[in-house]
Amino acid sequence: MIEQPEEIRQAFISGRCDAYTNDASSLASFRASQGKEGEQYLLLPEIISKEPLGAVVRKGDWRWFDVVRWSHFAMVTAEELGITSKNIDSFMASTNPDVQRLLGKSGDFGRAMGLDNDWAVRIIRQVGNFEESWERNITPMGVPRGINALWTKGGLQYAPPIR
């Protein structure tokens, strides 16, 4: 019986087993860690189990939890609105209330979290929207966006309104 993840990977690499399953990001990370050798492994596109992954924070640190959670929501909202790290300045004069709230031009959402109201602007400028981050960090590992696409594109990603 194999119990530890590293033992499973070694059994797979040595040919003791023909396949192994895990969440797509873990499999992609494993393949990428193998360098050129990783090209011999195929990631199957089928999703055979749902294992949601997300950011983790220390239990009881609710303020930090809110910042982390709303940072993700800001990136998803930016993607929904078509705001990227490259075009964000062109949205600064937008009269769209959703854009104004996201960019801190109206409301005090940032201050309510203990941040400046332009908190989302800084995230989008430095990290990009959710799609930009996915394309930069996950796509190169061979993981398709799939269910991680926006809800408007057949995925599960959506964010509550920033209010």
Side-chain angles (χ1 to χ4, degrees):
M1 179 173 191
I2 301 174
E3 295 183 17
Q4 298 300 316
E6 186 55 36
E7 291 178 88
I8 296 168
R9 289 188 285 271
Q10 287 306 316
F12 178 69
I13 290 168
S14 70
R16 287 181 39 215
C17 61
D18 295 327
Y20 89 93
T21 66
N22 208 329
D23 65 82
S25 60
S26 178
L27 293 172
S29 177
F30 161 73
R31 186 173 73 174
S33 75
Q34 300 303 301
K36 280 296 240 184
E37 293 293 315
E39 293 175 13
Q40 68 183 316
Y41 305 127
L42 174 67
L43 292 179
L44 300 176
E46 295 81 16
I47 302 292
I48 60 174
S49 71
K50 297 183 304 280
E51 297 177 22
L53 303 175
V56 176
V57 300
R58 184 181 310 273
K59 184 176 181 176
D61 193 346
W62 299 114
R63 191 167 168 199
W64 180 238
F65 173 77
D66 283 342
V67 170
V68 171
R69 177 177 54 165
W70 283 99
S71 294
H72 172 74
F73 290 156
M75 293 171 65
V76 169
T77 300
E79 181 182 352
E80 287 179 349
L81 295 170
I83 301 172
T84 70
S85 61
K86 299 195 179 15
N87 72 9
I88 190 168
D89 289 329
S90 70
F91 283 84
M92 289 300 178
S94 173
T95 58
N96 178 326
D98 293 329
V99 172
Q100 288 182 342
R101 284 190 296 272
L102 175 66
L103 302 183
K105 300 294 183 183
S106 69
D108 267 339
F109 194 83
R111 283 192 190 22
M113 287 194 299
L115 305 172
D116 293 334
N117 278 335
D118 69 343
W119 62 279
V121 171
R122 288 185 278 146
I123 291 168
I124 298 162
R125 278 201 174 118
Q126 294 176 37
V127 180
N129 67 29
F130 190 71
E131 179 180 38
E132 288 177 286
S133 181
W134 186 278
E135 291 297 320
R136 182 177 56 252
N137 298 297
I138 309 298
T139 297
M141 292 191 300
V143 179
R145 187 88 183 262
I147 60 175
N148 291 292
L150 292 179
W151 68 276
T152 56
K153 296 180 180 176
L156 301 175
Q157 292 291 331
Y158 69 94
I162 295 178
R163 296 182 195 194

